[in-house]
Amino acid sequence: MAYEYILVEKRDRVGLITLNRPEALNALCAGLIDELGQAVALFEADDEIGCLVVTGSERAFAAGADIKEMIGKDFQQVYREDFITDDWEVLAKTRKPVIAAVAGYALGGGCEVAMMCDFIIAAENAKFGQPEITIGTIPGAGGTQRLTRIVGKSKAMDMCLTGRMMDADEAERCGLVSRVVPVDKLMEEAMAAAAKIAGHSLPVTMIAKESVDRSYETTLSEGLRFERRVFHSTFALDDRREGMTAFAEKRKADWKHR
């Protein structure tokens, strides 16, 4: 497919999506969000893809939603169209693992999109923030919800009420990002992590992702019950038998992804 606002490529079993509006610091306009959804859907349906990576430029992952598109909207319009709902949540609903590779600014909607991914690898120059308060509104794509669950109430309140930015080191300390790497090593690290994930059994990585996600949506006792049942379900997979057999025979597993 031809895209205007993103770049899309396949690297072995990894699908790479690069946000590409350099003149607007990758601001998330409606067209970009629509193309992102299309690309994710294609990779989700592609049996040859085992992991996705979403990234931006060295200067900005995404500097936020496109404010120029929102200025003229009123309450009735955004309410009737349910603005920033299903089309923005595509990454959060993706069943395959997704890594956000973040350099530069990840602000507002950019920070929220990064948090929709399964984990974030950040370059040393990354800056995260929810500055919506400075333009007379609040985060609308998960900034008050996902951020609070990740970094805790105090940090989330600080960021949402002051609009300040969090650097990469602080983001790693409070669990917003999984690791921090040099800017020039960001894509190498992200693609290596994605390739490692994609090199495992696809149904098992999807089950593992679903189980971790469930921990955010339920009590500990119910989460443990869910984990146990999906663990049991892996015993119906050819790949589970192959993985354990390969381990016992001291050889590399030959995954069939079934």
Side-chain angles (χ1 to χ4, degrees), residues 26-58:
N26 294 333
L28 303 169
C29 63
L32 188 153
I33 292 296
D34 182 62
E35 290 183 0
L36 178 62
Q38 293 177 47
V40 169
L42 288 173
F43 282 144
E44 181 83 334
D46 188 341
D47 291 338
E48 298 302 313
I49 293 296
C51 186
L52 282 64
V53 174
V54 180
T55 192
S57 68
E58 185 174 314

Side-chain angles (χ1 to χ4, degrees), residues 35 40-41 46 74 83 87 150 171 183 249:
E35 290 183 0
V40 169
D46 188 341
D74 60 23
F83 182 52
D87 50 349
I150 295 169
V183 177
E249 296 177 353

Side-chain angles (χ1 to χ4, degrees), residues 134-198:
T134 66
I135 57 169
T137 188
I138 69 167
T144 66
Q145 303 301 305
R146 290 190 177 95
L147 186 64
T148 304
R149 285 164 169 77
I150 295 169
V151 306
K153 178 184 175 182
S154 185
K155 286 281 188 184
M157 282 288 193
D158 184 4
M159 294 177 70
C160 290
L161 295 180
T162 69
R164 77 171 179 89
M165 289 186 286
M166 177 186 288
D167 66 21
D169 288 338
E170 182 181 2
E172 184 180 29
R173 287 197 305 271
C174 64
L176 180 58
V177 308
S178 65
R179 64 185 93 163
V180 178
V181 300
V183 177
D184 61 351
K185 297 291 186 181
L186 175 63
M187 292 312 299
E188 178 182 335
E189 291 278 346
M191 294 302 292
K196 188 168 187 177
I197 292 169

Side-chain angles (χ1 to χ4, degrees), residues 148-243:
T148 304
R149 285 164 169 77
I150 295 169
V151 306
K153 178 184 175 182
S154 185
K155 286 281 188 184
M157 282 288 193
D158 184 4
M159 294 177 70
C160 290
L161 295 180
T162 69
R164 77 171 179 89
M165 289 186 286
M166 177 186 288
D167 66 21
D169 288 338
E170 182 181 2
E172 184 180 29
R173 287 197 305 271
C174 64
L176 180 58
V177 308
S178 65
R179 64 185 93 163
V180 178
V181 300
V183 177
D184 61 351
K185 297 291 186 181
L186 175 63
M187 292 312 299
E188 178 182 335
E189 291 278 346
M191 294 302 292
K196 188 168 187 177
I197 292 169
H200 298 313
S201 165
L202 178 58
V204 177
T205 59
M206 292 171 67
I207 289 170
K209 169 177 173 168
E210 184 178 10
S211 189
V212 174
D213 281 342
R214 188 63 172 260
S215 70
Y216 276 89
E217 305 293 340
T218 189
T219 63
L220 176 59
S221 61
E222 288 303 313
L224 288 169
R225 184 189 303 274
F226 180 84
E227 177 190 77
R228 198 72 37 75
R229 292 297 177 257
V230 294
F231 164 70
H232 291 160
S233 76
T234 66
F235 281 72
L237 296 172
D238 293 343
D239 282 346
R240 193 279 314 168
R241 183 178 298 277
E242 165 62 13

Side-chain angles (χ1 to χ4, degrees), residues 44-144:
E44 181 83 334
D46 188 341
D47 291 338
E48 298 302 313
I49 293 296
C51 186
L52 282 64
V53 174
V54 180
T55 192
S57 68
E58 185 174 314
R59 189 179 178 195
F61 176 77
D66 194 323
I67 305 303
K68 293 179 180 178
E69 287 188 345
M70 293 191 287
I71 289 176
K73 294 180 180 291
D74 60 23
F75 169 74
Q76 295 211 32
Q77 182 179 358
V78 296
Y79 181 74
R80 285 175 64 90
E81 68 184 36
D82 208 7
F83 182 52
I84 305 185
T85 304
D86 288 342
D87 50 349
W88 279 68
E89 291 285 330
V90 63
L91 286 170
K93 295 177 180 178
T94 302
R95 299 180 68 199
K96 292 180 180 178
V98 185
I99 300 172
V102 176
Y105 297 111
L107 305 177
C111 185
E112 291 167 316
V113 165
M115 289 190 291
M116 291 176 194
C117 299
D118 296 310
F119 63 92
I120 302 170
I121 298 178
E124 292 173 330
N125 72 337
K127 299 284 187 181
F128 300 88
Q130 299 294 163
E132 289 87 348
I133 197 82
T134 66
I135 57 169
T137 188
I138 69 167
T144 66

